[in-house]
Amino acid sequence: MAAERWMLQTKRADFDEIARSHRITPVTARIIRNRDVVGREAVERYLRGGLEALYSPYLLKDMELTVAILKEKTRESKPIRIVGDYDIDGVCSTYLLYQALTQVGAVVDYEIPDRIKDGYGINESIIRAAAEDGIDTILTCDNGIAAVLQIKLAKELGLTVLITDHHDIMKDEGGDILPPADAVVNPKRSDCSYPYPEICGGLVAYKLVQALYEAFEVPMEKWLEMLEFAAIATVGDVMKLQDENRLIVKEGLKRMGQTRSLGLLKLMEKNNLDKNQITAYQIGFVIGPCLNAGGRLQTAKLALSLLLCQDEEEADRMALELKELNDQRKDMTKEGTLEAVRQVEEHYADDKVLVVYLPECHESLAGIIAGRLREHFQKPSFVLTDGEESVKGSGRSIESYHMFEALVEVKELLLKFGGHPMAAGLSLLRQNVEEFRRRLNERTELTAEDFVRKVWIDVPMPLEYISEPLIEELELLEPFGQGNEKPLFAQKGLHIRSVRVLGKNRNAVKMSLATEQGTPMDGMLFTDGDLFLEELGDKRRLDVVYYPGVNEYNGNKSLQIIIRNYKIPGEV
């Protein structure tokens, strides 16, 4: 495992003044400042903002034009085909646009590329098939911005093409390189004035639904009834939970229990989730992976069919199938991760950039396993596997390693590649795998310091400060996730009064703790219990990074801390 350093956030502000202005404690004021939320209006919006704080869809360049074209095509009953993507963002985007266009009376169907056969995004065969099927208009979602040649073909075949996407846009000296579509809606356009461009494809689609419903005078309630899908897409595509994204997720989570999608309700049921208490974590680690499992191991159309399904028995069957596919995916991922870790420990422990070749691994799991390797070793990690024609791979990076630029430096070894600083995809010939590993490691300037995991502490807070009102106030900061991390507190020198291991897998540790002043509190630690006891030995002190919580058991409430990280000081 990687080494770890605890770091204290030191961003400055007048915390007492922020606390007074917004009716919160200075502790909460400090956390908000640590999340870079600055200024009276921004802080109030962060704490108490709702749907009224969302931005107008018309701030997106070409939105008006897209709506005008769709309105005309709908009135003329011209066939429209939505082309989505096989991940959770693409599936939710397709769902939103299909439901909306159906609602306004359009002639509409959809196509989702196959991960293995088609690869990412709209391709030539999808375009030719649309032309042969007599489609008049292609509407993309969560893809299309990079498909310059493909869209050129569509235009030559006489199709109207509307692009909605959120991915980065290629540039040259003349600025953005945009496909020759009839309209391009993408907040990353340099001529787009959208206030917060870091939104996912599902939220771009949701904005289009809003504008379309306004144009067709559909009641706003119908638009709000689909809000949860913009939230699922935002969390599932790992967008930063800041600004508009956080508001969408916050409001969307409240509506999960009332969703009109029978399939989504069944999926929550099959995973034993309380539909009225869904968290961003459960979307990211339970619902999202189930919706993604179809696209990974079979077809993403299964997830979309589930969300659209109106028949109880059929929805039940599909939800179970997706859950089982995800369970299978989890087993395959675990197996692949164990093998990848073994390879690194036996052969590549000294490498700064990890390149692991797992020929038997399902290619759709390479990215997940690369992410697990990165977490385990705190090193940039590539996992390669055998594709149909060549070796394919995915990489996941650390903050100090720009993965896409690293691939540019060895591009002569690669058949294809793409990505951004933190993640990448590539393909190469089998005979180049060793050379790829060697050159990446030869060229990197990473140092031992880069492989130390940093744990950022918001406030060093003695347990005496914890109270139920503070815990309730911290709930104002939810939902937590990427870009709005759960606050972390720290205290040194806690005395361990008793400790016991719980759970049939012995993976939970319950401790009775006390501060130097004698304040008692229970602590829960989720880790390998027996390994922890062995590490603890006869020592009875603990330094902890924690989050405060309330434990409810048999109708009784008590304060406790959930221990996220710990150190055992040297004294007995």
Side-chain angles (χ1 to χ4, degrees):
M1 289 290 284
E4 187 176 276
R5 179 170 299 128
W6 294 3
M7 315 278 287
L8 182 62
Q9 298 265 21
T10 54
K11 292 172 182 173
R12 294 182 181 279
D14 186 341
F15 302 119
D16 290 331
E17 174 52 33
I18 294 170
R20 259 194 314 276
S21 298
H22 298 281
R23 308 181 304 286
I24 53 176
T25 60
V27 166
T28 304
R30 187 182 286 265
I31 294 162
I32 292 170
R33 174 64 189 90
N34 288 345
R35 302 296 174 272
D36 293 320
V37 182
V38 179
R40 188 180 171 87
E41 204 180 306
V43 171
E44 194 57 31
R45 186 169 183 255
Y46 176 89
L47 284 168
R48 301 179 179 96
L51 294 174
E52 76 293 335
L54 298 180
Y55 303 120
S56 163
Y58 294 105
L59 293 172
L60 286 160
K61 178 84 174 161
D62 278 6
M63 179 59 82
E64 223 163 304
L65 177 59
T66 303
V67 170
I69 292 170
L70 286 172
K71 200 169 179 184
E72 187 189 332
K73 301 293 183 185
T74 300
R75 289 208 168 125
E76 293 172 359
S77 296
K78 295 281 175 68
I80 300 165
R81 177 163 293 170
I82 301 160
V83 178
D85 186 32
Y86 45 70
D87 71 357
I88 184 171
D89 192 16
V91 167
C92 288
S93 305
T94 308
Y95 172 88
L96 287 163
L97 294 177
Y98 182 73
Q99 289 285 65
L101 285 165
T102 305
Q103 169 82 44
V104 299
V107 177
V108 60
D109 65 9
Y110 58 81
E111 179 58 76
I112 295 183
D114 181 277
R115 182 188 281 267
I116 310 292
K117 182 171 70 73
D118 295 308
Y120 167 74
I122 192 165
N123 61 30
E124 210 174 288
S125 65
I126 288 172
I127 287 161
R128 290 194 187 280
E132 281 164 25
D133 292 346
I135 294 297
D136 174 89
T137 299
I138 285 178
L139 170 62
T140 76
C141 50
D142 193 33
N143 77 97
I145 199 68
V148 176
L149 294 175
Q150 292 87 340
I151 304 306
K152 187 169 177 283
L153 169 68
K155 293 309 298 169
E156 284 164 6
L157 292 171
L159 290 157
T160 297
V161 183
L162 308 171
I163 289 179
T164 74
D165 200 352
H166 73 118
H167 289 98
D168 288 348
I169 299 171
M170 293 183 288
K171 290 177 167 44
D172 61 14
E173 305 75 44
D176 293 352
I177 301 172
L178 297 177
D182 296 81
V184 177
V185 178
N186 184 329
K188 304 265 175 69
R189 283 180 66 161
S190 49
D191 58 355
C192 179
S193 61
Y194 202 71
Y196 186 70
E198 299 303 317
I199 60 177
C200 69
L203 190 42
V204 176
Y206 191 58
K207 295 279 169 183
L208 173 53
V209 174
Q210 183 183 3
L212 198 62
Y213 277 9
E214 277 177 27
F216 278 92
E217 296 178 3
V218 176
M220 188 173 178
E221 194 45 50
K222 292 282 183 194
W223 173 69
L224 291 175
E225 280 172 5
M226 295 195 283
L227 180 63
E228 66 273 19
F229 289 95
I232 292 169
T234 298
V235 175
D237 215 36
V238 202
M239 295 288 107
K240 287 191 171 175
L241 292 191
Q242 295 168 353
D243 204 295
E244 191 173 45
N245 286 340
R246 186 167 158 276
L247 295 178
I248 281 285
V249 174
K250 188 174 161 183
E251 295 298 323
L253 289 173
K254 292 177 192 169
R255 288 171 158 76
M256 292 286 285
Q258 287 80 53
T259 184
R260 298 178 79 81
S261 169
L262 184 58
L264 182 55
L265 287 170
K266 290 289 182 190
L267 199 54
M268 291 188 270
E269 186 187 295
K270 295 287 174 231
N271 284 287
N272 299 316
L273 301 178
D274 177 349
K275 65 178 184 177
N276 296 312
Q277 297 289 325
I278 298 294
T279 62
Y281 178 87
Q282 288 169 334
I283 290 179
F285 292 91
V286 184
I287 294 168
C290 284
L291 291 174
N292 266 334
R296 288 188 189 283
L297 302 182
Q298 278 189 14
T299 168
K301 287 176 187 166
L302 175 59
L304 187 53
S305 300
L306 169 71
L307 298 181
L308 291 166
C309 184
Q310 301 291 321
D311 177 88
E312 183 132 4
E313 210 172 295
E314 187 63 4
D316 201 78
R317 185 193 63 74
M318 284 193 280
L320 185 62
E321 188 178 350
L322 275 176
K323 185 189 181 298
E324 285 171 351
L325 274 176
N326 189 46
D327 289 342
Q328 184 188 337
R329 190 271 314 159
K330 283 197 277 196
D331 291 343
M332 291 162 74
T333 301
K334 190 177 178 185
E335 205 176 296
T337 302
L338 288 171
E339 172 57 21
V341 168
R342 185 195 65 76
Q343 275 194 35
V344 172
E345 287 175 345
E346 288 181 14
H347 304 291
Y348 313 119
D350 297 331
D351 284 7
K352 292 177 174 178
V353 181
L354 303 178
V355 178
V356 173
Y357 177 44
L358 303 174
E360 303 300 313
C361 171
H362 194 288
E363 67 180 72
S364 72
L365 303 182
I368 303 178
I369 296 170
R372 301 277 164 86
L373 270 189
R374 185 260 323 268
E375 281 166 34
H376 192 85
F377 294 103
Q378 186 59 21
K379 291 179 176 182
S381 303
F382 289 91
V383 170
L384 309 177
T385 181
D386 284 345
E388 284 182 14
E389 290 160 16
S390 60
V391 169
K392 283 186 165 182
S394 280
R396 296 293 180 268
S397 200
I398 58 177
E399 289 294 339
S400 46
Y401 187 79
H402 195 302
M403 194 159 257
F404 181 70
E405 282 176 7
L407 291 182
V408 171
E409 284 185 23
V410 297
K411 63 177 185 290
E412 65 278 7
L413 292 175
L414 307 174
L415 300 171
K416 254 168 81 175
F417 70 98
H420 51 80
M422 297 301 287
L426 65 143
S427 60
L428 74 169
L429 296 173
R430 168 73 189 90
Q431 60 262 36
N432 286 336
V433 169
E434 282 307 315
E435 183 67 4
F436 175 67
R437 177 186 290 113
R438 191 182 68 77
R439 281 211 220 164
L440 285 180
N441 277 284
E442 218 172 60
R443 294 178 184 212
T444 186
E445 292 173 6
L446 289 168
T447 65
E449 183 58 31
D450 294 313
F451 308 136
V452 176
R453 185 179 288 108
K454 293 180 176 66
V455 178
W456 286 98
I457 295 159
D458 284 288
V459 186
M461 189 170 76
L463 301 192
E464 282 81 4
Y465 279 76
I466 299 173
S467 66
E468 238 182 288
L470 176 66
I471 291 165
E472 279 172 26
E473 184 173 285
L474 292 176
E475 287 172 9
L476 287 173
L477 311 182
E478 293 183 6
F480 300 126
Q482 173 91 0
N484 187 47
E485 284 76 16
K486 202 167 197 175
L488 290 179
F489 305 94
Q491 178 157 25
K492 285 185 169 180
L494 289 173
H495 178 67
I496 302 172
R497 303 195 301 183
S498 68
V499 56
R500 61 197 171 101
V501 178
L502 311 174
K504 67 175 196 298
N505 299 321
R506 296 182 65 76
N507 60 356
V509 179
K510 184 167 186 171
M511 287 175 258
S512 173
L513 303 165
T515 65
E516 292 284 352
Q517 286 71 36
T519 302
M521 195 165 295
D522 283 346
M524 286 298 299
L525 170 67
F526 297 96
T527 188
D528 182 321
D530 296 314
L531 212 59
F532 174 75
L533 289 179
E534 195 181 310
E535 195 185 341
L536 188 65
D538 56 1
K539 298 188 181 73
R540 280 294 171 264
R541 296 254 169 210
L542 206 60
D543 299 343
V544 298
V545 174
Y546 71 89
Y547 185 81
V550 175
N551 180 32
E552 292 193 40
Y553 184 68
N554 283 345
N556 295 322
K557 282 183 173 186
S558 60
L559 297 174
Q560 66 172 11
I561 60 171
I562 306 299
I563 299 169
R564 293 283 296 273
N565 306 75
Y566 66 88
K567 287 178 183 169
I568 300 168
E571 76 243 36
V572 175

